[in-house]
Amino acid sequence: MGLFFQNAVITSIRATYTVYTSPPGVSFRPRTSHGFVFYLEGSCRYVYPDRTFTAEANTFLYLPKGVAYAIEPQGDSVCLLINFDTADPPAEKAFCRLYPNASQIRDRFYAAVSEGRQKKAGHVPEITGLLYEIIARIQSAENTGYLPYKYIRRLEPAAAYIQEQYTNGEIRIPALAELCGLSTRYFTKLFLAYYGTTPKKYILNLQIDLAKSILSNSAARMTDIAAACGFADVSCFSKTFKQIAGMTPSDYRKINIVTESARR
């Protein structure tokens, strides 16, 4: 089996969206373009003639051109969507997958949708470049992201602790390694192999993801957002946000704020 979208040539960008779905389900005619989807919240069942799968938070979906399908939202959900065309039809069928480097893939979706919303000069080449980056991250995950399950299980105590504590201040990497019964060096090596990033960057990405959600859905003050996301002060929060998101928290809010009418 070849690499995902190997040698694909992207010929056009149709559209980029943030999509909000709620029950009931809906059926679609055969797609007129390829679609890459990244789920942010909720879950949704996709029904194809030969397969069915459920998308959940942090999963990536490929929706092939020319194939009809139906969706069955399992409650409210939010996803990012990029529709595009290629010179030749890829061999891949529809699928849904959770990749260990999901945060890297998600960040490029965010950037592509932001470019599509702003529509500044040169936004189409920018989105095309981001699309190739998404493909490269998926190829990298499928080619090198495999770890035997026994090693993945060794990381589970640290992953659970991070999810519970990432908003409560600094998490020490040696403490995470100790939870897993590993040396700090070996723990970091396994973590990087599976998640595609270091433990420190993984935690920062979780914090910035939460900040993005708060910025897009509330008028909370920056000091309150910084505290809610586990940062010691607003200066550290703003600096880290810009490093990861490529813009200040205030600029991100201006571009991505979701109004009540858009949620309906």
Side-chain angles (χ1 to χ4, degrees):
M1 182 178 177
L3 291 174
F4 175 70
F5 264 65
Q6 189 171 19
N7 301 320
V9 177
I10 298 166
T11 56
S12 67
I13 302 296
R14 294 288 192 93
T16 63
Y17 302 105
T18 300
V19 181
Y20 301 85
T21 56
S22 301
V26 61
S27 296
F28 294 96
R29 295 178 179 179
R31 289 182 57 88
T32 59
S33 62
H34 303 290
F36 282 180
V37 183
F38 192 92
Y39 263 76
L40 302 175
E41 300 174 14
S43 64
C44 187
R45 189 165 177 260
Y46 283 71
V47 181
Y48 278 83
D50 62 341
R51 63 191 62 202
T52 299
F53 47 77
T54 299
E56 298 177 331
N58 293 319
T59 54
F60 169 87
L61 287 77
Y62 168 56
L63 311 180
K65 181 177 181 178
V67 183
Y69 65 103
I71 63 170
E72 300 173 355
Q74 312 296 296
D76 296 337
S77 62
V78 185
C79 66
L80 304 174
L81 168 66
I82 306 172
N83 287 334
F84 62 97
D85 291 312
T86 58
D88 298 306
E92 282 81 10
K93 293 185 177 182
F95 71 84
C96 174
R97 205 161 293 158
L98 173 62
Y99 289 108
N101 58 352
S103 63
Q104 298 175 13
I105 297 169
R106 178 211 55 230
D107 287 348
R108 282 149 183 84
F109 267 91
Y110 269 129
V113 171
S114 178
E115 288 286 346
R117 185 180 290 116
Q118 295 179 76
K119 289 186 168 57
K120 294 180 180 179
H123 72 281
V124 172
E126 287 287 345
I127 296 171
T128 302
L130 289 163
L131 203 51
Y132 279 121
E133 288 187 29
I134 290 170
I135 292 169
R137 293 304 183 281
I138 292 171
Q139 289 176 344
S140 175
E142 292 187 342
N143 196 39
T144 62
Y146 173 77
L147 273 180
Y149 184 64
K150 65 178 181 179
Y151 293 116
I152 297 172
R153 289 201 64 182
R154 295 292 296 274
L155 297 173
E156 287 179 354
Y161 185 83
I162 290 170
Q163 290 295 330
E164 292 173 359
Q165 300 293 330
Y166 75 91
T167 61
N168 295 328
E170 183 181 2
I171 296 176
R172 296 178 61 254
I173 307 307
L176 293 175
E178 187 176 349
L179 282 174
C180 300
L182 302 170
S183 69
T184 300
R185 182 178 179 181
Y186 189 55
F187 166 74
T188 302
K189 181 179 179 180
L190 283 185
F191 198 99
L192 178 62
Y194 184 64
Y195 288 98
T197 190
T198 65
K200 182 177 179 180
K201 288 183 179 179
Y202 181 84
I203 294 165
L204 288 175
N205 282 328
L206 287 176
Q207 292 173 311
I208 297 306
D209 280 351
L210 177 58
K212 286 176 177 177
S213 178
I214 298 172
L215 287 164
S216 298
N217 293 281
S218 79
R221 297 181 305 168
M222 293 301 167
T223 51
D224 294 334
I225 296 174
C229 296
F231 289 92
D233 55 67
V234 72
S235 176
C236 178
F237 164 64
S238 297
K239 181 180 178 181
T240 304
F241 191 98
K242 187 171 183 180
Q243 288 175 340
I244 293 176
M247 64 183 75
T248 66
S250 296
D251 287 342
Y252 183 88
R253 170 175 272 164
K254 290 175 185 176
I255 295 168
N256 294 279
I257 188 68
V258 178
T259 63
E260 285 300 322
S261 59
R263 290 193 188 99
R264 293 182 187 133

